[in-house]
Amino acid sequence: MTPSEKEQKLEHLLDEKSFDQLTHEEKEVVLQEFGSEEQYRLARKIGQALVKLKTGLSPDPWILASLQDQVKARQRPSLWTSFFQAQVPAYVMAGACLAIVVILWWLKPVPAPPSVAVRTVRDTVYLATAPDTVYRRKIIYRYRYRYITVAAPSTPTPDTRLAEPMAGSEGVSMKDKEELEKLLVSGSDK
Amino acid sequence: MFFDRTGKKTDEELMLQVQRGDKRALTALYERYGTRLLRYFYRMLWKDRDRAQDFLHDLFVKVIENATRFQPERKFSTWLYSIAHNMCKNEYRKQAFRKAHGPTPADESVENLGYAALQDQQLRDALDGALEKLEEADKHLFTLRYEAELNLEEIAAILECPEGTVKSRLFYLKKKLAGYLGAYHPENAMT
């Protein structure tokens, strides 16, 4: 048994057993520690007296009152909390609402004219120069007229025939000629 | 209050409410510990009633001010008595300084009281005087055990030592007191 265990056991014996209730081995331990039976009895009596030795004090009422004030002071609400938790009479609230309505009516804004919005739009323009030279394949002389001069009577005889234009010998039609001239003047076919 | 349930809550739960500024929670804690702590201070501070009342007040002010420092995983009673013990230690230091720089008090040791008979009441009176002469550590142990009525586990947590050590120290305390009182009249101590 270690010294600490021995002390713990003795403390237990002091609490639980009188000297007469101790076993032979326990008495030996007790006498070894206390020196005498009387000392053990006294120590036991002291233990019992200590339990009863309570001071009949009770706290003064001012302490609790002061502590509650302390908590209250620390719990003091902020300005905003006070504002939102303030109690307001109904007539004051009604007056305030009325005042707000009147003020809003006075401050009602005049309808403004529709605004003209200037809108700038950017776009990409591709410029293409018209071609100066026009290649055009055209048959200028389509027909070649052949005139046969006849000195004979002006009245046609059944033998005389008016020469008809032959293919490949035709000339330029007026329309084509005009187009050609137009083309030469403008330099473009557009 | 009709729906007040503070009485059913644990100390730690109440302390969390105190952290939020709940006045009723503080009152509940005060009602649980006020009297025991007053006795503790009374015993620790040379049986000075007024000083004990002041210390009790100051202790709970500290609890309010440091409420946010309390960790719920720690036992409230341990925390509370640790603060109380520190306050007493500071007071002992001040007292030691005053003694060192003031007039020497008259010797009022137990041995000089001269007990005629250690009957119950006389024994208590003698004990009362003997306890005043105990060293700070012994007095603290006695007060925690017998005035504050804390169990061994709580005392061990406050003193930061194993329960076995608390038991050993309690045994030595009784042995020491028996030595004080029995040295002169052991024959009167028969049960």
Side-chain angles (χ1 to χ4, degrees), chain A residues 108-137:
Chain A
K108 198 168 71 175
V110 181
S115 58
V116 179
V118 178
R119 205 167 145 221
T120 307
V121 177
R122 292 188 180 192
D123 204 352
T124 308
V125 178
Y126 295 96
L127 294 175
T129 52
D132 290 337
T133 310
V134 175
Y135 296 96
R136 192 161 182 167
R137 191 171 172 228

Side-chain angles (χ1 to χ4, degrees), chain A residues 115-186:
Chain A
S115 58
V116 179
V118 178
R119 205 167 145 221
T120 307
V121 177
R122 292 188 180 192
D123 204 352
T124 308
V125 178
Y126 295 96
L127 294 175
T129 52
D132 290 337
T133 310
V134 175
Y135 296 96
R136 192 161 182 167
R137 191 171 172 228
K138 201 160 258 194
I139 300 166
I140 296 173
Y141 297 101
R142 194 180 298 161
Y143 303 106
R144 183 161 56 91
Y145 292 93
R146 190 186 292 165
Y147 297 96
I148 301 168
T149 308
V150 179
S154 58
T155 52
T157 63
D159 295 329
T160 56
R161 286 187 302 170
L162 195 62
E164 287 180 356
M166 292 168 62
S169 62
E170 294 149 349
V172 178
S173 69
M174 285 304 289
K175 194 180 172 189
D176 288 343
K177 194 176 180 184
E178 278 173 12
E179 277 184 15
L180 183 63
E181 282 174 353
K182 215 185 281 177
L183 187 67
L184 291 171
V185 169
S186 67

